[in-house]
Amino acid sequence: MSSNSNSNSNNAAIVEIAQTASKFASSIVLQADNKYIDVKSILGLFTTLVSSQNYELHVHGSDAEEAKKAMSEVFAKYDLKFTVVEE
């Protein structure tokens, strides 16, 4: 893989994150600095997701445990830095 394929892998990450999030009833919100993004929104992710950033993942709802696990796997797969916030 060439080093300029970063945006392509980022696009793949965004699509997979949104698709994974959409499988769950829980609300899944990504916090980056002081911005909050609904991860079910591909557009929101496109304007926010950069691999150098450290994110916080807030998950609330009936299937929150499963959602946290699935989202963590997707983030790790794309080497995105994140913390799942336990509230």
Side-chain angles (χ1 to χ4, degrees), residues 17-77:
I17 288 167
Q19 285 177 339
T20 303
S22 297
K23 296 175 188 169
F24 297 99
S26 292
S27 120
I28 306 171
V29 176
L30 201 59
Q31 182 183 355
D33 295 330
N34 53 358
K35 284 190 291 195
Y36 291 85
I37 307 102
D38 179 351
V39 295
K40 295 177 186 179
S41 159
I42 286 186
L43 198 60
L45 288 171
F46 264 117
T47 58
T48 313
L49 201 68
V50 285
S51 49
S52 58
Q53 180 93 41
N54 210 340
Y55 300 99
E56 287 187 351
L57 208 53
H58 300 262
V59 185
H60 300 280
S62 53
D63 52 6
E65 287 312 311
E66 295 94 330
K68 283 177 191 172
K69 188 168 179 290
M71 297 311 297
S72 297
E73 285 167 7
V74 177
F75 272 74
K77 176 179 173 182

